RNA sequence: GGUUCCUUAGCCAAGUGGUAAGGCAAUUGACUGCAACUCAAUGAGCGUCGGUUCAACUCCGAUAGGAACCUCCA
């Protein structure tokens, strides 16, 4: 199946062509681990998780890397204010981040590198940039020379002259141009390392380049993802560095997810008063937040509110009920829940392959759910149809990363169910209600 | 100041140059021993103004409102 992706680099929907046949390499900028993740942090996690699952389902060998930025001013400031090490801060919030990733049922990255594990690589990388005359040293700082590469601004569609004229008054006059950015920052405040330029630490923009360079052949990947805000300057600078270092622009396709707006909870938007991912997950569960995040096209802004969450909760329960009833019905008739054949979910896949149109894919899921509910009320039940639908829904849920459980019935369960039906038929409602309670407690009914 | 983007029914949200998917909520009805689940029916002409076109919600321009980036926030 042909996969279409909106490439932020060209601002066009393009047909995906991998660097290597049947393989896809994806790198998503991960979190700066200085705080507990908020709802906004979940969006790239979920969006790129679905992208990854789609590629996997379509038979690609996927290599998915997402980093932790564990060297950063905010981490250092936090470490200082709490009087603990940066490592302690990072460890705490990496843990917090992964708890959230697990809670929304996102697959863990194949590799999740940390900046602190790549310092020698970073230093070597900067050396090459210096050798290539794309960087310069001033008083122990190293800067990237933006003027050394062609087409700076191509990703964000920014004209260099506009940028310069719009640039704020630079306090740092050491740079040749206000657009130049720090590769290595001389400092003894907070965590730092020795280099031949100074004691200091790497700039933010270099780490992703270095990790991609270290972890992927030729330092080039198929898809680079991240939040919209990273487009400029972060991703623009990655392209610039990679051009100067490897002569390539680091990624073929760039994908940027939109931001989350807060509807009625607007008061929470002000800084320091964001909605923590954990709080939402505790209240609604990972599946519901996932459904909300996938209910809007990934490039569009998403409105988040308790009303939206409540609606998604109802929707998810619908999915859950139907899927569970299918599984129970099939088991009661001793039909196997497994099948070697690939289910026919072409329309669903088509939507996802159309630049990850998850809203339309979900619409397709609801269409099948409706079909399932109809089939479940047919008498007699058509088990071939039920099984076909069950397997289709199962595949869809899997690709969307929705985790829906169903009970596995043992012989006793089946006996209780048969008794329940019999008592009900005999109009022994007291007894049938009692059995119904048992079945409901086991989530069979 | 520079750049980019958004505006579709009460709410969320797809979509296409040829007369608007889906979901939630609401109303009505059906099923049912009761309950849960479920099913069916009902609503907008796409911010405003103008232009291009046989035809625009979809293209162009203007205007109003909102947002993002240019300041190491997903």
């Amino acid at each position: 199946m042909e996969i279409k992706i909106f490439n932020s680099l060209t601002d066009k929907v393009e047909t995906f062509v991998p660097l290597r046949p049947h393989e896809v390499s994806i790198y998503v900028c991960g979190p700066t681990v200085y705080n507990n993740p908020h709802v906004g942090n979940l969006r790239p996690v979920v969006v790129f998780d679905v992208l990854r699952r789609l590629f996997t389902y379509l038979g690609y060998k996927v290599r998915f890397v997402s980093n932790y930025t564990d060297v950063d001013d905010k981490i250092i400031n936090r470490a200082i204010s709490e009087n603990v090490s940066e490592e302690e801060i990072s460890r705490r919030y990496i843990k917090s981040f992964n708890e959230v990733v697990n809670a929304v049922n996102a697959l863990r990255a194949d590799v999740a590198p940390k900046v602190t594990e790549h310092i020698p690589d970073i230093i070597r990388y900067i050396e090459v940039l210096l050798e290539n005359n794309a960087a310069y040293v001033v008083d122990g700082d190293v800067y990237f020379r933006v003027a050394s590469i062609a087409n700076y601004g191509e990703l964000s569609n920014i004209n260099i002259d506009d940028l310069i004229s719009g640039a704020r008054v630079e306090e740092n006059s050491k740079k040749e141009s206000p657009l130049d950015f720090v590769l290595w920052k001389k400092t003894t405040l907070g965590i730092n390392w020795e280099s031949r330029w100074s004691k200091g630490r790497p700039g933010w923009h270099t780490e992703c380049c270095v990790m991609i360079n270290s972890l992927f052949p030729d330092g080039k990947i198929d898809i680079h993802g991240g939040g919209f805000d990273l487009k400029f300057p972060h991703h623009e600078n990655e392209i610039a560095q990679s051009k100067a270092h490897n002569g390539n622009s680091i990624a073929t396709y760039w994908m940027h997810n939109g931001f989350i707006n807060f509807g009625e909870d607007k008061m929470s938007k002000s800084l320091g008063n964001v909605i923590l991912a954990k709080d939402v997950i505790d209240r609604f569960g990972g599946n519901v937040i996932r459904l909300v995040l996938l209910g809007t096209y990934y490039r569009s802004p998403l409105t988040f509110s308790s009303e939206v969450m409540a609606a998604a909760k109802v929707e998810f329960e619908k999915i859950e009920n139907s899927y569970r009833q299918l599984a129970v019905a099939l088991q009661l008739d001793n039909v196997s829940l497994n099948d070697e054949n690939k289910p026919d979910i072409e329309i669903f896949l088509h939507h996802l392959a159309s630049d990850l149109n998850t809203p339309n894919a979900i619409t397709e899921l609801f269409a099948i759910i409706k079909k399932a509910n109809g089939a479940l009320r047919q008498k007699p039940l058509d088990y071939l149809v039920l099984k076909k639908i069950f397997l289709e829904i199962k595949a869809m849920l899997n690709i969307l990363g929705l985790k829906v459980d169903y009970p596995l019935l043992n012989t006793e369960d089946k006996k209780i169910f048969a008794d329940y039906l019999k008592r009900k038929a005999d109009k022994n409602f007291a007894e049938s209600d009692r059995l119904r309670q048992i079945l409901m407690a086991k989530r069979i009914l």
Side-chain angles (χ1 to χ4, degrees), chain A residues 285-305:
Chain A
N287 284 313
V288 173
I289 177 73
R290 196 160 174 122
L291 206 51
V292 167
L293 294 176
L294 297 176
T296 301
Y297 187 41
Y298 77 93
R299 293 200 285 130
S300 302
L302 186 156
T303 308
F304 187 90
S305 69

Side-chain angles (χ1 to χ4, degrees), chain A residues 107-132:
Chain A
L107 302 168
R108 295 285 279 271
D110 296 313
V111 185
K114 296 177 196 151
V115 181
T116 51
E117 293 167 347
H118 283 268
I119 298 296
D121 289 346
I122 290 173
I123 290 174
R124 266 198 302 278
Y125 195 96
I126 295 174
E127 286 290 3
V128 173
L129 294 179
L130 283 164
E131 282 164 23
N132 293 351

Side-chain angles (χ1 to χ4, degrees), chain A residues 316 320-321 324-325 328 404-409 436-445:
Chain A
F316 180 71
E320 205 177 22
N321 284 332
R324 206 177 59 228
Q325 285 172 21
V328 169
V404 185
D405 293 322
Y406 52 80
L408 291 172
L409 308 192
R436 181 166 71 183
Q437 286 303 318
I438 297 173
L439 292 169
M440 285 176 89
K442 293 188 172 199
R443 295 173 56 80
I444 293 170
L445 205 76

Side-chain angles (χ1 to χ4, degrees), chain A residues 360-387:
Chain A
N360 280 347
I362 289 174
T363 293
E364 188 59 21
L365 172 62
F366 278 119
I368 300 225
I369 294 281
K370 189 162 283 189
K371 222 166 102 186
N373 289 330
L376 281 165
R377 275 155 186 79
Q378 291 227 324
K379 284 173 187 172
L381 292 172
D382 184 336
Y383 289 97
L384 283 178
V385 169
L386 290 182
K387 178 161 179 174

Side-chain angles (χ1 to χ4, degrees), chain A residues 25-57:
Chain A
S25 46
I26 304 174
Y27 182 95
V28 178
C29 289
T32 300
V33 282
Y34 71 100
N35 211 338
N36 288 312
H38 59 270
V39 172
N41 293 298
L42 290 177
R43 196 166 188 194
V45 169
V46 170
V47 163
F48 292 107
D49 184 59
V50 172
L51 181 70
R52 172 187 188 176
R53 288 168 183 267
L54 174 67
F55 272 114
T56 303
Y57 186 85

Side-chain angles (χ1 to χ4, degrees), chain A residues 167-346:
Chain A
R168 303 292 166 87
V169 179
E170 279 286 336
E171 293 162 26
N172 184 348
S173 57
K174 295 177 187 173
K175 296 195 283 186
E176 292 177 2
S177 157
L179 298 184
D180 293 350
F181 53 91
V182 181
L183 299 172
W184 186 267
K185 186 176 184 176
K186 177 182 174 180
T187 179
T188 49
L189 179 68
I191 188 166
N192 62 79
W193 291 266
E194 286 287 354
S195 76
R196 74 174 175 89
W197 315 295
S198 62
K199 264 181 104 107
R201 57 191 164 82
W204 176 47
H205 305 305
T206 307
E207 63 179 79
C208 291
C209 287
V210 171
M211 289 166 182
I212 289 170
N213 195 54
S214 301
L215 295 167
F216 294 97
D218 307 323
K220 174 134 193 202
I221 54 174
D222 290 303
I223 299 172
H224 194 130
F228 216 79
D229 55 321
L230 297 179
K231 208 169 168 183
F232 188 91
H234 186 55
H235 290 162
E236 197 71 69
N237 291 349
E238 280 188 47
I239 291 175
Q241 291 170 92
S242 186
K243 276 183 176 174
H245 188 282
N246 296 332
N248 68 41
S249 49
I250 206 163
T252 315
Y253 304 93
W254 291 81
M255 295 177 74
H256 293 100
N257 64 269
F259 267 45
I260 292 178
N261 297 325
F262 295 90
E264 65 184 58
D265 304 322
K266 201 147 194 161
M267 71 291 254
S268 300
K269 204 188 166 189
S270 57
L271 271 165
N273 192 20
V274 292
I275 299 174
L276 291 182
K278 186 178 181 303
D279 293 342
V280 179
I281 291 165
D282 285 348
R283 184 161 162 214
F284 292 97
N287 284 313
V288 173
I289 177 73
R290 196 160 174 122
L291 206 51
V292 167
L293 294 176
L294 297 176
T296 301
Y297 187 41
Y298 77 93
R299 293 200 285 130
S300 302
L302 186 156
T303 308
F304 187 90
S305 69
S306 49
E307 195 176 353
V308 168
M309 288 303 296
K313 184 168 183 280
V314 173
E315 289 178 25
F316 180 71
E317 283 167 358
K318 252 175 116 161
I319 296 169
E320 205 177 22
N321 284 332
S322 184
Y323 187 61
R324 206 177 59 228
Q325 285 172 21
L326 284 170
V328 169
L330 290 170
Q331 290 181 76
L332 286 172
D333 203 58
N334 298 314
V335 179
S336 159
L337 296 180
N338 299 307
D339 199 316
E340 264 73 78
N341 301 321
K342 281 232 165 184
D344 175 20
I345 52 171
E346 285 301 305

Side-chain angles (χ1 to χ4, degrees), chain A residues 399-434:
Chain A
I399 295 170
L400 293 174
L402 296 170
K403 196 168 188 297
V404 185
D405 293 322
Y406 52 80
L408 291 172
L409 308 192
N410 56 33
T411 38
E412 197 201 326
D413 294 331
K414 290 177 186 173
K415 185 177 177 303
I416 296 173
F417 198 96
D419 284 351
Y420 159 68
L421 289 180
K422 180 156 192 317
R423 306 291 174 177
K424 203 165 73 151
D426 295 344
K427 297 198 190 295
N428 183 347
F429 296 124
E431 180 61 10
S432 76
D433 282 355
R434 189 184 70 82

